[in-house]
Amino acid sequence: MDTAPQTNGEPAISAEHLMRRFGNFTAVNDVSFRVQRGEIFGFLGPNGSGKTTVIKMLTGLLPLSGGQAYVEGLDVRTDSEAVRERIGYMSQNFSLYYDLTVTENLQFYGRIYSLEPARLKRRFEEIVQLNGLEPYLNHLASQLSGGWKQRLALGCAMLHEPKLLFLDEPTAGIDPVARRQLWDLLFELSGHGITFFVTTHYMDEAERCSHVAYIYYGKLIADGTPNSLRELPDVQPHGTLRVEITTPEVTRALRFARHLPGIRSATIFGQSIHALIEDRFNLDDLREQLLKNGIAVAEIRPLAPSLEDVFVELTYKHQAMLEAARA
Amino acid sequence: MRNFFRGFGAVFYKEVLHVRRDPATLFFSLVIPLLQMVVLGFGIDTNIRQINTIVFNADGRRESRELLDRLRNSDTFHIIRYVENDGDLNDAIIAGKARVGVKIPADYSDRLLHNMSAQVLVLIDGSDSSVAGQAINVTTAIGLDESLHRVLQDRASFAVDMRPKMLFNPDSRSPNFFLPGLTAILLLNVTTFLTAFSIVREKERGTLEQLFVTPVRPMGLLFGKLLPYLVIGFSELCLILTFMRFVFQVPIHGNVLVLAFLSLPYLFVSLSIGILVSSKANSQSEAIQLAFLTFLPSIFFSGYIFPRETMPVFFYVISYFIPASYYINITRGIILRGAGLSHLWLDGLALYAMGSILLLIAARRFQNKVIMA
């Protein structure tokens, strides 16, 4: 799943030193990244950190205050109309016309992209089949459930066969089954060479992306494959080890673990504790110490950092850097 | 050029679907104005008649009763009660039971019979200026007439004989005066609301943002959205005119085609105001409030209710910037006075100029505020 980005050909998106200011406020500050063709690029960050602003700049909705952006090889500053012909966009609130039927919604977007009638008919059938919309063609969009609305919105966004699709929080507020099905569909399409730019809040979705980037208040603080991010020295400092301690008494164990010398950080994850420990620490010694203090330990095992761990570590690091710069 | 209006056809067709899908909105936007017409056309009578009047007749003889008969026969006064003292007369006016109080002194007949001047006290409630004005005019005229009658006996020998002749609306029918002006207000209402709503709804739903990521051009989008509502506005005009002619029996003296031709720019004005409202409003309730705000000047300073000529200079100047001023002049001109293009070309020109300018401003704002929001 975690394939290395293909480097053949020009990238689908190339953003160089993107800047966007709103008055005194810098919403996007010197952001650079590349998205290769066929990638599923996960763009993460807290609310208000500039994700949607970046999408708006890349789709030509917002002028850049500085930097350059090329989408499908076209300069978004001078060629925004040609860019819009080649991309699809699905916003977080499934921008559908609720008083129109599924068929009417699809046909409207087909006409907007000036598809020839024959091509519209062919694409219409393909999209209906791909998204399984057949039984709902004459339903009003308002009558569809969240998952089907999202499939219809995706269908509308890709009717004109874009090579690059922007999905802004595509799975916000839909049920887990529909979420899983959407991702299966994205993988299938990505297999056909379509590039996806996806923003999300779900860490498990981020793990599925072939390339992730994390934006924190306008600054890009992580960019790479999930595995390469896990191996970053900031995330996994030299001489440390990440372990999972499974115990029935997580809260007590956590309080105790935090005071042990050699444990850098510890957090509760359900019935276990994730801790970053110095690797001079023997796992058996750790178990010994916990047992001595009356804490039952089921298992201690090494653990690869999750993307959440990665983003948390990088955010701390970034904040520390900002404070150091201020001091 | 085709490129400039790209997406026009798709948007137009979609907008027609919206209207067809929601016949209730269409029905109400067409029928409610007609209901307003009925209310205003039948309910409002600008002619002041049958003013409640209270009388203290301290004289009571034949001459005084003749005077009261003349007041009653003028159709302006309706005598509701007779009282026996000044206090009751005053109280009735203060309580609002009567607008006019007439006191005929005890020596009224005596003085007349002795060829002396007799005084009649007429108390008028000034809290409604049009009622008060009418009461003053009619009582003065009756007094003058009564005096002349006594002096001259014969009307034929009046030195100056004024013969007023009312043109165009000889019976002073209120609907004739009110409805052509109301047409302007109703058209403004319907088209502004429909346009503003159709854009604000897409803003609320987020579909507008979606459209801007497609190759549709702003002007294609704008005109695709406007055209259906232009058609609806025009149908509304036809309905109003039909209603005016056949239900209210207001004769249309001029050429209906000229009226249609001069209504076009006015509709553009209303549509543009709708766009301007939608560029400011983020929800339908905001749009309603803003739209009402834009209606007020059109109602008060356009000559629809109060004649423009009697306004203070400041408001008179303002009225020149209100499109409804010109359109009301056009509707009254064509419908009541049988005016043609040769009489109304200046108003038509003003409307075409205002329509074009407003549409340009609206299109720019649409592009800057709505798209780049």
Side-chain angles (χ1 to χ4, degrees):
Chain A
M1 191 169 88
D2 198 4
T3 49
Q6 299 149 347
T7 43
N8 55 326
E10 61 181 355
I13 301 174
S14 161
E16 290 156 25
H17 310 291
L18 281 188
M19 293 287 273
R20 177 65 215 189
R21 290 185 205 92
F22 295 104
N24 288 330
F25 171 65
T26 306
V28 173
N29 188 0
D30 195 17
V31 166
S32 304
F33 60 86
R34 283 179 174 215
V35 179
Q36 302 300 335
R37 292 184 194 278
E39 276 187 336
I40 298 183
F41 176 73
F43 196 52
L44 290 96
N47 279 338
S49 58
K51 283 178 303 200
T52 304
T53 310
V54 168
I55 291 191
K56 281 190 169 181
M57 288 198 281
L58 293 177
T59 51
L61 281 181
L62 263 184
L64 318 186
S65 310
Q68 299 163 37
Y70 297 89
V71 169
E72 291 288 311
L74 296 162
D75 190 334
V76 295
R77 290 168 305 176
T78 53
D79 257 340
S80 69
E81 198 181 343
V83 167
R84 291 203 279 262
E85 302 245 19
R86 286 166 178 74
I87 60 170
Y89 170 67
M90 184 172 110
S91 80
Q92 34 190 317
N93 38 19
F94 316 142
S95 314
L96 300 167
Y97 294 100
Y98 282 1
D99 55 340
L100 301 190
T101 64
V102 169
T103 305
E104 286 164 346
N105 268 290
L106 283 168
Q107 284 179 343
F108 169 65
Y109 281 105
R111 287 196 201 94
I112 279 286
Y113 283 100
S114 353
L115 301 189
E116 301 293 320
R119 183 162 165 231
L120 176 57
K121 187 168 178 293
R122 174 175 65 79
R123 281 301 288 163
F124 180 83
E125 280 158 12
E126 284 171 9
I127 294 284
V128 166
Q129 214 209 339
L130 185 68
N131 290 283
L133 290 166
E134 182 75 50
Y136 302 102
L137 286 181
N138 293 319
H139 286 54
L140 295 182
S142 58
Q143 297 167 335
L144 301 179
S145 70
W148 287 105
K149 277 184 185 137
Q150 170 223 56
R151 281 167 171 240
L152 174 58
L154 184 65
C156 290
M158 48 188 286
L159 204 64
H160 59 296
E161 298 180 85
K163 286 289 183 205
L164 169 61
L165 270 161
F166 289 87
L167 310 181
D168 196 358
E169 309 218 354
T171 54
I174 65 169
D175 65 89
V177 177
R179 206 149 78 84
R180 176 70 58 85
Q181 285 170 341
L182 177 84
W183 275 92
D184 290 344
L185 186 61
L186 296 192
F187 284 123
E188 190 185 334
L189 293 167
S190 145
H192 288 102
I194 295 179
T195 315
F196 287 94
F197 183 113
V198 185
T199 70
T200 179
H201 274 124
Y202 296 105
M203 286 301 151
D204 62 313
E205 292 186 352
E207 303 270 3
R208 291 165 160 238
C209 296
S210 52
H211 179 179
V212 289
Y214 190 77
I215 187 169
Y216 185 74
Y217 296 106
K219 271 288 202 191
L220 204 67
I221 60 174
D223 178 20
T225 64
N227 276 351
S228 69
L229 292 181
R230 280 186 251 271
E231 284 156 16
L232 284 178
D234 285 337
V235 176
Q236 190 76 62
H238 191 69
T240 63
L241 184 66
R242 205 170 279 274
V243 293
E244 182 182 47
I245 307 164
T246 314
T247 161
E249 300 165 88
V250 275
T251 26
R252 264 188 65 213
L254 180 74
R255 220 178 303 137
F256 177 71
R258 279 193 171 156
H259 291 107
L260 273 184
I263 293 196
R264 298 248 180 120
S265 66
T267 331
I268 295 181
F269 268 83
Q271 281 306 302
S272 64
I273 290 171
H274 289 190
L276 187 65
I277 64 173
E278 284 166 15
D279 59 4
R280 61 179 168 81
F281 228 123
N282 187 303
L283 291 191
D284 290 331
D285 287 351
L286 181 60
R287 175 195 297 271
E288 207 55 32
Q289 296 222 29
L290 288 167
L291 286 174
K292 224 190 297 173
N293 283 277
I295 298 165
V297 176
E299 193 191 4
I300 298 184
R301 61 183 183 91
L303 180 77
S306 68
L307 273 182
E308 180 163 323
D309 294 328
V310 171
F311 297 140
V312 168
E313 294 293 342
L314 291 177
T315 304
Y316 283 147
K317 176 90 185 162
H318 183 72
Q319 281 172 337
M321 238 170 58
L322 286 182
E323 267 156 38
R326 220 174 285 143
Chain B
M1 207 54 191
R2 185 199 163 275
N3 222 16
F4 189 67
F5 288 104
R6 184 164 177 182
F8 169 79
V11 174
F12 175 76
Y13 181 69
K14 170 187 80 76
E15 220 55 40
V16 172
L17 283 180
H18 285 314
V19 173
R20 260 197 11 210
R21 194 70 20 104
D22 186 15
T25 300
L26 182 65
F27 178 78
F28 282 116
S29 57
L30 289 179
V31 168
I32 289 207
L34 296 184
L35 287 178
Q36 284 176 279
M37 269 181 91
V38 171
V39 170
L40 290 172
F42 284 126
I44 292 185
D45 193 343
T46 49
N47 301 316
I48 292 155
R49 268 180 287 219
Q50 302 287 323
I51 303 171
N52 282 347
T53 305
I54 192 152
V55 173
F56 172 25
N57 189 353
D59 182 3
R61 278 170 288 174
R62 190 169 64 91
E63 281 73 13
S64 68
R65 291 200 309 271
E66 272 174 11
L67 181 70
L68 290 176
D69 281 342
R70 300 201 61 163
L71 287 175
R72 206 182 282 123
N73 292 339
S74 71
D75 197 31
T76 304
F77 303 100
H78 169 59
I79 299 175
I80 53 166
R81 204 151 61 88
Y82 291 88
V83 292
E84 298 303 330
N85 57 60
D86 289 332
D88 289 351
L89 191 72
N90 272 321
D91 283 347
I93 294 176
I94 292 169
K97 292 195 179 96
R99 298 272 195 195
V100 174
V102 178
K103 181 191 175 187
I104 303 177
D107 60 356
Y108 178 75
S109 301
D110 287 336
R111 293 184 73 97
L112 284 181
L113 292 172
H114 291 94
N115 281 330
M116 290 158 71
S117 168
Q119 286 184 336
V120 175
L121 178 67
V122 182
L123 297 171
I124 296 171
D125 172 6
S127 53
D128 184 325
S129 62
S130 50
V131 170
Q134 179 78 355
I136 292 173
N137 289 341
V138 175
T139 46
T140 314
I142 287 175
L144 197 65
D145 202 51
E146 186 73 31
S147 310
L148 284 171
H149 222 75
R150 289 184 184 276
V151 177
L152 295 170
Q153 306 295 334
D154 183 11
R155 272 176 167 269
S157 55
F158 281 11
V160 178
D161 187 8
M162 285 279 195
R163 291 274 175 95
K165 176 173 183 249
M166 188 108 98
L167 297 170
F168 313 126
N169 187 11
D171 305 328
S172 281
R173 292 184 66 226
S174 286
N176 293 25
F177 171 76
F178 245 97
L179 294 185
L182 183 63
T183 308
I185 305 298
L186 292 180
L187 277 187
L188 186 70
N189 257 327
V190 172
T191 38
T192 303
F193 269 132
L194 286 178
T195 317
F197 273 11
S198 88
I199 298 175
V200 170
R201 223 184 300 127
E202 290 217 33
K203 248 183 173 178
E204 280 180 324
R205 271 246 43 93
T207 45
L208 205 57
E209 191 194 39
Q210 180 77 45
L211 283 181
F212 298 142
V213 210
T214 71
V216 67
R217 296 296 299 259
M219 291 305 110
L221 178 58
L222 198 59
F223 283 92
K225 278 187 111 40
L226 289 192
L227 195 61
Y229 300 108
L230 185 68
V231 172
I232 292 177
F234 226 86
S235 319
E236 181 67 45
L237 175 66
C238 296
L239 265 176
I240 290 177
L241 289 180
T242 312
F243 227 64
M244 194 187 318
R245 175 71 192 79
F246 295 104
V247 177
F248 291 100
Q249 305 285 329
V250 177
I252 298 176
H253 292 296
N255 189 335
V256 181
L257 289 179
V258 175
L259 183 56
F261 173 67
L262 294 179
S263 298
L264 201 63
Y266 185 65
L267 286 171
F268 272 114
V269 165
S270 319
L271 295 169
S272 309
I273 293 176
I275 301 168
L276 290 173
V277 164
S278 72
S279 72
K280 201 98 189 120
N282 287 315
S283 67
Q284 300 197 29
S285 55
E286 266 180 60
I288 292 180
Q289 293 178 8
L290 271 175
F292 268 119
L293 211 63
T294 66
F295 296 154
L296 291 180
S298 296
I299 291 174
F300 291 113
F301 304 135
S302 64
Y304 163 57
I305 299 181
F306 311 112
R308 289 172 62 205
E309 291 75 6
T310 60
M311 290 175 189
V313 179
F314 176 71
F315 292 108
Y316 185 62
V317 171
I318 284 186
S319 75
Y320 273 103
F321 293 94
I322 293 172
S325 303
Y326 301 93
Y327 190 62
I328 286 178
N329 202 20
I330 288 171
T331 52
R332 282 184 185 151
I334 293 177
I335 294 171
L336 298 180
R337 305 195 296 269
L341 263 185
S342 57
H343 308 101
L344 296 171
W345 64 272
L346 203 59
D347 296 274
L349 202 66
L351 273 187
Y352 268 98
M354 286 180 137
S356 320
I357 292 170
L358 267 177
L359 197 60
L360 271 175
I361 296 175
R364 276 204 77 85
R365 259 196 82 87
F366 181 73
Q367 195 157 8
N368 295 337
K369 290 282 159 179
V370 183
I371 299 187
M372 291 302 179

